[in-house]
């Protein structure tokens, strides 16, 4: 090997070494970012489980017959309790139920232990598969909106002023039409079960994950 060839080889090795060191530095930087956020991620993951447990405990000893989903924390109401068939006006029985249920539900989500972690509270309307998608989308949206309107009505006096103030920021109404039907054991759509209203929450973990993804992108 000539001297010139040796010089080029050494230059190539030096360039590869510098590239390798930069790669290692970036990997270490990404790892440090994740480690710095890990405790906060662990806290929020734990909060979800604690919140679901708290909701289950809140509704285990009363006559509301409310079931909390063990995975998501969502609570589902048969729409016949709240609305007449093909109708979006709250029935008196629905108003009575909500006046009893909502203060208990919000006392947990808006309590000091969980309120800092709650990003959104969603009222979600669902229909059966009878009829067109757009018609049912409007119906499901109107039903969700009716529940939210009843909840935020200051004349009902079952929520405190501070709770109403928080909910004006957190509460949303979403209509899903028949996009998520409930199926019976035989694989057919359970029409009655599909006509429902769900209340669910979203924690701030999604925002955190987005922030971490952005930080990792910046280190590329």
């Amino acid at each position: 090997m000539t001297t010139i060839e040796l010089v080029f080889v050494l230059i190539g090795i030096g360039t590869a070494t510098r590239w390798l060191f930069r790669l290692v530095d970036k990997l270490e930087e990404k790892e440090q970012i994740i480690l710095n956020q890990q405790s906060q991620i662990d806290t929020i993951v734990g909060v979800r489980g604690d919140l679901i447990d708290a909701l289950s405990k809140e509704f285990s000893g009363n006559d509301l017959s409310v079931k909390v989903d063990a995975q998501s924390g969502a609570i589902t109401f048969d729409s016949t309790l709240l609305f007449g068939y093909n109708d979006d006006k709250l029935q008196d029985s629905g108003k009575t139920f909500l006046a009893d249920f909502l203060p208990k539900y919000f006392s947990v989500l808006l309590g000091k232990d969980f309120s800092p972690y709650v990003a959104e509270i969603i009222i979600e309307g669902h229909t059966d598969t009878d009829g067109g998608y757009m018609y049912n989308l409007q119906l499901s949206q109107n039903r969700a909106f009716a529940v939210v309107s009843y909840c935020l009505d200051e004349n009902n006096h079952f929520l405190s002023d501070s709770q109403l103030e928080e909910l004006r920021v957190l509460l949303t109404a979403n209509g899903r039409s028949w996009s998520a039907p409930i199926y019976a054991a035989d694989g057919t759509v359970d029409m009655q079960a599909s006509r429902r209203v769900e209340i669910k929450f979203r924690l701030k973990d999604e925002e955190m994950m987005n922030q971490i993804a952005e930080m990792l992108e910046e280190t590329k």
Side-chain angles (χ1 to χ4, degrees):
M1 180 180 295
T2 66
T3 301
I4 294 177
E5 289 174 330
L6 179 59
V7 169
F8 278 112
V9 168
L10 292 175
I11 290 174
I13 293 174
T15 301
T17 301
R18 287 193 298 273
W19 177 86
L20 181 60
F21 279 131
R22 286 198 297 270
L23 178 61
V24 171
D25 287 341
K26 286 186 177 182
L27 291 174
E28 289 178 347
E29 184 179 356
K30 292 179 181 180
E31 182 180 7
Q32 189 59 50
I33 290 172
I34 294 174
L35 289 175
N36 290 341
Q37 297 290 337
Q38 188 62 54
S39 61
Q40 192 173 0
I41 293 172
D42 291 342
T43 296
I44 290 183
V45 170
V47 166
R48 177 176 293 278
D50 292 342
L51 178 49
I52 292 173
D53 288 343
L55 286 171
S56 298
K57 182 178 180 180
E58 176 67 31
F59 293 107
S60 63
N62 57 62
D63 58 357
L64 288 175
S65 300
V66 169
K67 184 178 180 181
V68 181
D69 185 274
Q71 299 300 317
S72 66
I75 297 175
T76 301
F77 316 121
D78 185 336
S79 69
T80 58
L81 174 67
L82 305 178
F83 303 98
Y85 180 75
N86 211 31
D87 192 14
D88 57 16
K89 182 179 180 181
L90 270 174
Q91 301 178 126
D92 289 341
S93 60
K95 294 178 180 179
T96 300
F97 171 83
L98 291 175
D100 194 6
F101 166 81
L102 291 174
K104 294 180 174 63
Y105 182 80
F106 292 132
S107 69
V108 176
L109 264 75
L110 303 182
K112 61 182 179 62
D113 292 334
F114 302 113
S115 179
Y117 301 99
V118 177
E120 185 180 16
I121 300 173
I122 306 130
I123 306 295
E124 200 169 78
H126 297 261
T127 68
D128 60 29
T129 55
D130 186 19
Y133 179 85
M134 292 305 297
Y135 174 83
N136 281 290
L137 180 63
Q138 186 68 60
L139 177 61
S140 61
Q141 180 67 44
N142 289 348
R143 286 177 170 176
F145 183 77
V147 174
V148 170
S149 297
Y150 184 74
C151 173
L152 295 180
D153 188 341
E154 297 177 1
N155 296 320
N156 291 326
H157 304 296
F158 54 76
L159 297 176
S160 68
D161 290 342
S162 61
Q163 287 176 321
L164 288 172
E165 184 176 354
E166 287 187 80
L167 289 173
R168 291 186 186 105
V169 177
L170 298 173
L171 202 57
T172 60
N174 296 334
R176 296 290 306 278
S177 187
W178 39 249
S179 62
I182 302 296
Y183 292 94
D186 62 0
T188 60
V189 173
D190 186 327
M191 301 293 274
Q192 181 172 342
S194 296
R195 296 190 293 269
R196 67 197 189 277
V197 174
E198 296 182 1
I199 182 168
K200 55 183 67 175
F201 59 84
R202 183 173 60 83
L203 298 181
K204 294 178 180 176
D205 54 352
E206 293 183 18
E207 285 88 342
M208 179 183 297
M209 297 303 180
N210 289 336
Q211 290 173 4
I212 293 174
E214 290 174 2
M215 286 187 289
L216 292 176
E217 186 68 25
E218 291 173 1
T219 62
K220 289 184 178 180

